[in-house]
C-alpha cells in the first residue's frame, strides 16, 4: 500500500511539472546579466502578440530605473544592449541606436530612456516601428528586470517578460549611478 501511494504522489508531481511552462519552471532567474538577457529575449519572442515583420527594425532603448523613469545606469544600458543582441538571434533586425545622431531618445541629465520622453520621437526620428525597452528595480533581494516590445505608433505592448537578477557586487556597481539604488 505504501509503494502504491508513493507511485501516485510521484505521478502527480510529474504531471504538475509537465503542465507548467518552461519559463515558470526555470523561475527566470539568473546570476549573470548575459543569462538574464537571453532569458528575457526568449520570453519576448515567445510572448509576441502579433507577428512582427522581421525586415522592420527594432530599436533598443536603455532600461530605466523603475523608481525614476528619467534615469538609467550602466546596468540599464547593458540590459538594453544584451537583450537586443539576444533578440536578434531570433531573426529580428535590431538597430544600433549609436548610429543615429541625434539619438532618438530624450537625453536626460542622468541618462536616456524611451520611457521618459515620448516613444513616437524615436519612431519619427529613426523610422522605427517597435522599441525594445524595459525597467529594473531592487526587489526580493535581487534586481527585478522587465522588458517590453512596444509599438511606436500607439504605444501598445506587443510582448512582455520579466526576470530576477541576483544582486552581486558587480550589479551593485553597475546600478551605482541610479539614485534609487544609492538610497537602497
Amino acid at each position: 500500500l505504501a509503494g502504491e501511494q508513493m507511485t501516485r504522489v510521484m505521478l502527480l508531481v510529474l504531471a504538475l511539472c509537465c503542465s507548467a511552462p518552461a519559463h515558470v519552471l526555470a523561475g527566470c532567474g539568473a546570476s549573470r546579466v548575459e543569462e538574464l538577457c537571453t532569458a528575457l529575449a526568449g520570453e519576448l519572442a515567445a510572448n509576441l502578440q502579433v507577428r512582427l515583420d522581421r525586415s522592420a527594425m527594432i530599436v533598443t532603448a536603455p532600461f530605466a530605473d523603475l523608481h525614476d523613469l528619467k534615469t538609467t545606469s550602466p546596468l540599464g544600458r547593458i540590459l538594453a544592449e544584451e537583450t537586443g543582441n539576444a533578440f536578434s538571434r531570433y531573426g529580428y533586425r535590431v538597430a544600433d541606436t549609436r548610429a543615429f545622431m541625434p539619438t532618438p531618445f530624450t537625453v536626460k541629465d542622468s541618462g536616456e530612456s524611451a520611457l521618459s520622453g515620448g516613444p513616437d520621437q524615436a519612431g519619427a526620428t529613426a523610422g522605427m516601428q517597435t522599441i525594445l525597452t524595459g525597467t529594473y528595480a531592487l526587489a526580493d533581494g535581487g534586481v527585478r528586470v522587465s522588458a517590453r516590445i512596444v509599438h511606436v505608433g500607439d504605444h501598445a505592448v506587443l510582448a512582455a517578460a520579466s526576470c530576477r537578477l541576483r544582486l552581486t557586487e558587480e550589479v551593485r556597481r553597475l546600478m551605482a549611478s541610479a539614485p534609487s539604488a544609492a538610497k537602497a
Side-chain angles (χ1 to χ4, degrees):
L1 185 66
E4 198 174 306
Q5 285 178 330
M6 181 61 99
T7 303
R8 286 183 186 157
V9 169
M10 288 174 51
L11 287 173
L12 177 63
V13 169
L14 181 63
L16 289 173
C17 287
C18 291
S19 66
H23 70 277
V24 171
L25 293 174
C28 198
S31 59
R32 299 193 35 82
V33 172
E34 298 83 11
E35 294 168 1
L36 177 118
C37 293
T38 298
L40 284 173
E43 278 197 49
L44 288 170
N47 293 334
L48 275 168
Q49 295 177 3
V50 297
R51 187 179 177 122
L52 291 182
D53 177 1
R54 290 184 189 242
S55 67
M57 297 292 270
I58 297 171
V59 67
T60 58
F63 286 29
D65 179 346
L66 182 62
H67 301 296
D68 183 359
L69 294 178
K70 294 179 182 178
T71 64
T72 190
S73 66
L75 177 65
R77 291 185 285 278
I78 290 170
L79 289 169
E81 179 93 2
E82 292 296 324
T83 305
N85 290 346
F87 200 69
S88 72
R89 290 191 286 271
Y90 286 90
Y92 295 97
R93 294 181 66 212
V94 178
D96 188 341
T97 54
R98 293 171 293 213
F100 298 100
M101 286 304 187
T103 177
F105 304 108
T106 304
V107 177
K108 302 293 180 189
D109 293 336
S110 302
E112 54 189 9
S113 172
L115 298 176
S116 63
D120 357 277
Q121 180 184 358
T125 303
M128 302 296 159
Q129 294 179 18
T130 53
I131 298 174
L132 188 160
T133 190
T135 59
Y136 58 89
L138 290 172
D140 303 325
V143 180
R144 198 68 173 144
V145 180
S146 295
R148 293 179 174 168
I149 302 287
V150 179
H151 186 261
V152 173
D154 61 5
H155 304 221
V157 175
L158 304 178
S162 64
C163 292
R164 184 181 171 279
L165 179 63
R166 194 171 60 125
L167 188 59
T168 63
E169 281 306 310
E170 177 186 23
V171 171
R172 283 185 195 277
R173 281 192 305 274
L174 291 171
M175 291 179 67
S177 67
S180 65
K183 292 175 192 169

